[in-house]
Amino acid sequence: SVGIAAAMSYLAMRQNDPVGLVTFADRVRSFIPPKCRRAHLMAILQTLAKLKPTGRTQVAASLHEVAELVKRRSMVIVFSDFMEDLDAVVGALHHLAFKKHDIILFHVMNHAELEFTFDDLSTFADIETGASSSYPGGLTRLGTTIFFSASTVATGFELWKSDGTPR
């Protein structure tokens, strides 16, 4: 995700389009407002290079913050695993769309999440909270669910394996 975001930032600036960056976990962590200068690109790349996963992610709440934070109509590109209440995420996407932002979603999933081979009831630990839950097989439907839910507001949707290859 970081590499794709860096490449997209570089390409947008090559076209003289302003680029900004918002990073979030449970809330917005950093905000670099859109500009179109070489030094600005370096600030974005440095921020991306320092990103580390931390704690629980609240995509919906963070996207609501982004909707209020970004004042000018923009293209908002979101990289996430979307492992959250999908109705809340779609509500936040509607908030962004109401503010006239174009939205592109990159649903990032690990290969094991895509090729979910557990047919029986299995217990898993949440990597963000440590809580455990039991699931039957069939988590591969998550990508389809977020796609259909988000298609009403998002300009584009792409499912990516975390090893960097599109599905």
Side-chain angles (χ1 to χ4, degrees):
S1 305
V2 169
I4 297 167
M8 292 176 82
S9 298
Y10 172 78
L11 292 172
M13 282 201 177
R14 290 280 309 212
Q15 297 182 148
N16 292 319
D17 291 327
V19 176
L21 178 69
V22 176
T23 63
F24 62 85
D26 59 330
R27 61 178 173 76
V28 169
R29 298 290 180 170
S30 65
F31 174 62
I32 301 174
K35 292 182 185 172
C36 190
R37 289 190 294 229
R38 186 177 182 93
H40 186 69
L41 177 61
M42 294 310 295
I44 289 172
L45 296 178
Q46 288 172 350
T47 301
L48 287 170
K50 293 177 187 173
L51 280 180
K52 300 276 186 262
T54 57
R56 186 162 180 79
T57 304
Q58 294 185 11
V59 178
S62 298
L63 291 179
H64 280 298
E65 273 188 76
V66 170
E68 295 303 320
L69 196 59
V70 179
K71 302 298 182 196
R72 299 185 78 184
R73 185 174 185 265
S74 300
M75 178 177 292
V76 176
I77 302 172
V78 182
F79 294 88
S80 175
D81 60 6
F82 295 104
M83 293 287 187
E84 186 174 315
D85 175 33
L86 294 182
D87 290 334
V89 172
V90 171
L93 294 172
H94 279 285
H95 187 184
L96 286 164
F98 178 78
K99 296 282 191 165
K100 306 291 188 218
H101 299 297
D102 292 322
I103 306 162
I104 297 177
L105 305 175
F106 282 87
H107 188 179
V108 181
M109 295 180 78
N110 185 281
H111 179 74
E113 294 169 314
L114 290 170
E115 307 299 327
F116 200 73
T117 58
F118 300 94
D119 295 325
D120 298 326
L121 184 67
S122 302
T123 301
F124 300 92
D126 184 322
I127 60 169
E128 293 179 351
T129 65
S132 62
S133 300
S134 296
Y135 293 98
L139 281 182
T140 54
R141 287 177 284 169
L142 179 64
T144 307
T145 304
I146 189 69
F147 171 74
F148 286 116
S149 298
S151 64
T152 59
V153 292
T155 304
F157 175 87
E158 187 70 38
L159 181 62
W160 279 73
K161 294 180 189 176
S162 61
D163 66 0
T165 58
R167 181 167 186 229

